[in-house]
């Protein structure tokens, strides 16, 4: 980034520096004028001598130790995490011991600002893993004690093995817990190539020279496809995966007007595409395999769907449905059902609410819809099996102006990502009765907050019109997302995951930029 202030020099900058020097001198003189600067007292629960401190049964790491403390010990403490920056107020520490405590989490910045630390003991706690680079900047370390923990020798700990082979610090023998491949083995004997790890890092693979506003991935027959909605070109552009060239190639197009969504739907081995348009009405196409082209089979009622914004497809009790979220003042978000010959209007959920997104999900094994709107809080609908319709169940409190909702699951628990263009985006968890907040993300200018599952990893991708795209990875221990990667992508509008040849490929589109990427 540039520094425009550096171009302004002369007497103004000099005046500021002179003022700072006078202020420092005044403080120094005051201190030298017989007044002693008060040193922090020994914290409650701790015993301090000239350069040593011992804390027992404290609930958190105190920040008020005397500055000349070089040895600090914690015994039987009540905290379960060492938070970031816990020791920035004691930079002179040379020895730090945590013995027989109960914590199981350490922040990656927990030991920030300890360049002189030589001995670190984390022995006999409840640690199962350590964050990568937790020892970064601690070049003076000569001994680390990790005995007595239940360290899982999995891919999250590969970094520690690599660090052990490059550091001058010594470690006592540590035995692996969990991770059947290494259980019972000495961590000290493992090598980096002992870990068969698959790393998930997002990188640009293929770029298309067009702008788009939505993307969908789907499988038809034995092949994988993606389809991009291009509002300015007025097309649905289909790409097919080439297993030989290992790229997506052009497959077909559907000509349209101001296209916002091209939603594929496979019913009884037949491919249908719902094409939502801002002008000229919306239509349904069917793939004619004999003629090898798309044929329009149906128009969608323009009185109900005036300004479509999102489409969701789903099945309930073996029957196929789709729902279109309408964002106009006069339209109505509507559910359509397949009757064997075509799609008919099954239920209008509500008019006048200017819905921007609809998400289908199951809550307690029951079909639900969540509607996001620019005029009210997200509304949750539940399927009534006897009436074969959706009934309004509840709304999500304190979440006005949500642009979209997307769901994901971790070990059976249901979560949702709520995207907000103005305000903070959030992750919420279903507690059996309602959704409750788990985590908040600053997200000014965001129109996509997409959860993505790759193998056993859960990610969330937060895009913005004003900053780079952030990738977060789910931390099972914390029950939250943690930063994973920053992507050089601005103003994305959608992400869609397609699994190809045992790999995850993420299709990304953007409207304001020049390219759509895979």
């Amino acid at each position: 980034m540039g520094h425009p202030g550096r171009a302004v020099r002369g007497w103004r900058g000099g005046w500021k520096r002179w003022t700072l020097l006078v202020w420092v001198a005044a403080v120094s003189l005051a201190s030298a004028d017989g007044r002693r600067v008060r040193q922090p007292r020994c914290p409650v629960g701790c015993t301090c001598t000239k350069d040593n401190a011992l804390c027992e049964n404290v609930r958190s790491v105190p920040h008020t130790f005397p500055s000349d403390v070089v040895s600090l010990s914690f015994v039987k403490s009540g905290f379960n995490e060492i938070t970031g920056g816990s020791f920035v107020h004691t930079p002179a520490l040379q020895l730090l011991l945590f013995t027989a405590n109960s914590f199981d989490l350490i922040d990656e910045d927990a030991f920030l600002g300890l360049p002189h630390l030589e001995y670190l003991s984390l022995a006999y706690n409840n640690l199962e893993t350590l964050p990568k680079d937790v020892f970064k900047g601690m070049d003076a370390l000569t001994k680390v004690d990790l005995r007595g923990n239940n360290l899982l020798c999995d891919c999250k700990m590969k970094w520690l093995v690599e660090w052990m082979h490059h550091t001058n610090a010594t470690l006592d023998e540590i035995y692996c817990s969990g991770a059947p491949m290494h259980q019972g083995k000495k961590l000290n004997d493992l090598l980096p190539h002992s870990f068969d790890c698959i790393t998930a890092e997002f990188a640009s693979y293929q770029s298309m020279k067009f702008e788009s506003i939505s993307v969908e991935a789907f499988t038809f027959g034995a092949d994988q496809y993606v389809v991009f909605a291009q509002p300015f070109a007025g097309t649905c552009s289909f790409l097919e995966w080439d297993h030989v060239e290992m790229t997506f190639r052009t497959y077909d197009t559907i000509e349209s007007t101001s296209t916002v969504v091209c939603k594929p739907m496979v019913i009884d081995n037949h491919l249908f595409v719902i094409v939502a348009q801002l002008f000229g009405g919306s239509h349904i196409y069917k793939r004619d395999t004999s003629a090898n082209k798309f044929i329009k089979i149906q128009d969608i009622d323009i009185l109900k769907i005036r300004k479509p914004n999102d489409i969701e497809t789903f099945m309930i009790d073996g029957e196929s449905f789709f729902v279109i979220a309408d964002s106009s003042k006069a339209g109505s978000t509507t559910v359509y059902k397949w009757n064997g010959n075509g799609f008919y209007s099954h239920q209008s959920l509500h008019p006048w609410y200017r819905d921007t997104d609809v998400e289908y999900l199951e809550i307690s094994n029951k079909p639900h819809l969540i509607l996001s709107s620019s005029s009210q809080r997200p509304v949750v609908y539940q399927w009534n099996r006897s009436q074969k319709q959706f009934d309004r169940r509840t709304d999500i409190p304190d979440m006005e102006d949500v642009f979209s909702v997307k769901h994901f699951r971790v070990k059976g628990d249901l979560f949702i990502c709520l995207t907000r263009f103005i305000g903070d985006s959030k992750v919420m968890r279903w507690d059996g009765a309602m959704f409750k907040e788990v985590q908040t993300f600053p997200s000014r200018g965001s129109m996509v907050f997409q959860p993505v599952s790759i193998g056993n990893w859960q990610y969330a991708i937060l895009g913005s019109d004003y900053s780079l795209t952030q990738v977060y990875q789910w931390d099972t221990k914390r029950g939250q997302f943690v930063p994973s990667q920053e992507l050089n992508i601005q103003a994305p509008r959608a992400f869609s995951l397609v699994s190809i040849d045992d790999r995850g490929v993420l299709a990304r589109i953007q409207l304001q930029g020049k390219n759509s990427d895979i």
Side-chain angles (χ1 to χ4, degrees):
M1 295 180 61
H3 298 274
R6 292 181 179 175
V8 181
R9 299 190 180 275
W11 70 271
R12 291 181 183 269
W15 181 84
K16 291 180 180 178
R17 287 191 292 270
W18 180 80
T19 303
L20 177 63
L21 290 172
V22 169
W23 182 82
V24 171
V27 172
S28 301
L29 288 172
S31 300
D33 194 24
R35 297 188 228 167
R36 297 182 60 186
V37 178
R38 177 180 291 182
Q39 291 289 335
R41 294 181 178 180
C42 191
V44 176
C46 303
T47 303
C48 302
T49 61
K50 181 179 180 181
D51 54 6
N52 296 281
L54 171 64
C55 300
E56 189 171 359
N57 294 321
V58 295
R59 294 292 179 181
S60 62
V61 176
H63 293 166
T64 57
F65 291 102
S67 59
D68 51 359
V69 166
V70 297
S71 174
L72 177 58
S73 302
F74 292 87
V75 180
K76 299 179 181 179
S77 299
F79 50 85
N80 59 9
E81 178 181 6
I82 305 177
T83 58
S86 290
F87 304 99
V88 294
H89 302 286
T90 52
L93 277 182
Q94 298 176 21
L95 185 146
L96 179 59
L97 296 90
F98 293 89
T99 305
N101 297 281
S102 59
F103 60 84
D104 53 11
L105 288 174
I106 298 180
D107 189 89
E108 62 180 3
D109 294 324
F111 306 121
L112 189 70
L114 295 178
H116 307 295
L117 194 70
E118 299 177 9
Y119 187 100
L120 174 64
S121 175
L122 300 170
Y124 301 100
N125 293 288
N126 295 328
L127 295 173
E128 293 183 354
T129 190
L130 290 171
K132 187 177 181 180
D133 297 331
V134 68
F135 303 136
K136 186 176 181 180
M138 302 170 69
D139 299 330
L141 271 180
T142 59
K143 179 68 177 290
V144 177
D145 191 353
L146 295 171
R147 294 173 300 160
N149 290 287
N150 299 310
L151 294 176
L152 304 178
C153 298
D154 56 14
C155 290
K156 291 182 180 179
M157 294 291 282
K158 180 181 178 180
W159 76 268
L160 181 61
V161 173
E162 295 172 340
W163 179 82
M164 289 167 60
H165 285 83
H166 292 91
T167 184
N168 292 323
T170 60
L171 286 86
D172 289 312
E173 290 185 348
I174 312 163
Y175 289 89
C176 298
S177 298
M181 180 181 296
H182 301 303
Q183 189 169 11
K185 295 181 180 179
K186 293 180 183 178
L187 181 64
N188 314 62
D189 294 340
L190 297 180
L191 299 172
H193 66 257
S194 302
F195 297 83
D196 184 16
C197 300
I198 300 174
T199 59
E201 184 169 305
F202 299 96
S204 180
Y205 184 76
Q206 182 180 350
S207 182
M208 275 65 67
K209 302 300 181 182
F210 55 73
E211 299 169 337
S212 51
I213 195 171
S214 69
V215 59
E216 300 286 344
F218 66 99
T219 299
F220 180 53
D223 295 313
Q224 288 79 33
Y225 302 84
V226 290
V227 54
F228 295 88
Q230 298 176 246
F232 303 130
T235 62
C236 295
S237 297
F238 292 81
L239 304 180
E240 178 185 24
W241 179 254
D242 188 322
H243 293 272
V244 177
E245 298 294 331
M246 300 292 286
T247 59
F248 280 96
R249 63 190 178 196
T250 299
Y251 177 68
D252 206 347
T253 60
I254 295 177
E255 300 298 326
S256 55
T257 304
S258 298
T259 316
V260 291
V261 183
C262 305
K263 188 73 174 183
M265 187 177 188
V266 178
I267 304 175
D268 297 330
N269 297 319
H270 296 287
L271 175 60
F272 299 89
V273 181
I274 305 112
V275 180
Q277 303 181 160
L278 293 180
F279 305 104
S282 298
H283 313 284
I284 301 174
Y285 290 78
K286 180 181 179 181
R287 185 69 180 178
D288 187 330
T289 53
S290 60
N292 199 29
K293 64 179 181 180
F294 288 102
I295 299 174
K296 187 169 73 171
I297 63 168
Q298 187 178 340
D299 296 326
I300 296 176
D301 188 355
I302 195 171
L303 296 179
K304 293 180 179 292
I305 306 301
R306 296 173 177 268
K307 190 178 179 183
N309 211 73
D310 185 38
I311 302 175
E312 188 84 345
T313 62
F314 54 93
M315 291 188 68
I316 299 178
D317 299 330
E319 296 184 299
S320 299
F321 299 83
F322 71 83
V323 55
I324 301 181
D326 188 271
S327 59
S328 68
K329 292 182 179 180
S332 177
T333 293
T334 305
V335 178
Y336 292 84
K337 180 182 176 182
W338 171 253
N339 66 1
N341 296 310
F343 296 89
Y344 68 93
S345 176
H346 180 73
Q347 179 186 3
S348 291
L349 295 178
H350 59 209
W352 312 106
Y353 281 118
R354 307 183 70 177
D355 297 323
T356 54
D357 178 83
V358 56
E359 177 78 350
Y360 174 82
L361 70 167
E362 290 193 358
I363 302 176
S364 302
N365 297 318
K366 296 178 181 179
H368 286 72
L369 294 175
I370 300 180
L371 300 187
S372 302
S373 170
S374 59
S375 61
Q376 65 172 358
R377 295 176 294 195
V379 180
V380 181
Y381 284 82
Q382 179 177 317
W383 180 254
N384 185 322
R385 293 191 182 276
S386 61
Q387 299 294 324
K388 293 190 175 182
Q389 288 193 337
F390 286 99
D391 295 332
R392 178 169 175 151
R393 178 176 179 179
T394 184
D395 60 16
I396 299 177
D398 303 321
M399 284 302 296
E400 286 75 13
D401 199 25
V402 172
F403 181 77
S404 68
V405 173
K406 304 299 176 186
H407 79 282
F408 66 97
R409 297 180 186 274
V410 175
K411 294 185 177 181
D413 289 332
L414 174 64
F415 298 84
I416 54 175
C417 293
L418 300 97
T419 311
R420 300 173 82 184
F421 190 83
I422 300 174
D424 294 333
S425 294
K426 296 181 184 291
V427 172
M428 307 184 85
R429 176 182 175 273
W430 178 255
D431 68 354
M434 62 186 299
F435 285 103
K436 291 189 175 180
E437 181 179 326
V438 172
Q439 195 171 2
T440 298
F441 299 82
S443 61
R444 178 176 174 269
S446 177
M447 296 186 73
V448 55
F449 189 18
Q450 180 68 50
V452 175
S453 297
I454 301 177
N456 295 323
W457 294 288
Q458 178 66 52
Y459 297 89
I461 306 173
L462 181 63
S464 171
D465 285 6
Y466 306 116
S467 61
L468 299 181
T469 295
Q470 303 298 321
V471 180
Y472 298 90
Q473 183 175 2
W474 184 260
D475 188 313
T476 304
K477 195 73 174 178
R478 296 174 182 268
Q480 290 186 335
F481 283 109
V482 295
S484 173
Q485 187 180 352
E486 186 174 72
L487 302 178
N488 188 21
I489 300 171
Q490 279 191 289
R493 289 296 177 265
F495 295 92
S496 184
L497 183 70
V498 53
S499 297
I500 297 172
D501 298 335
D502 297 324
R503 70 176 69 185
V505 178
L506 190 72
R508 180 269 300 182
I509 61 92
Q510 66 187 89
L511 181 64
Q512 296 181 1
K514 297 299 182 183
N515 300 335
S516 296
D517 292 341
I518 294 177

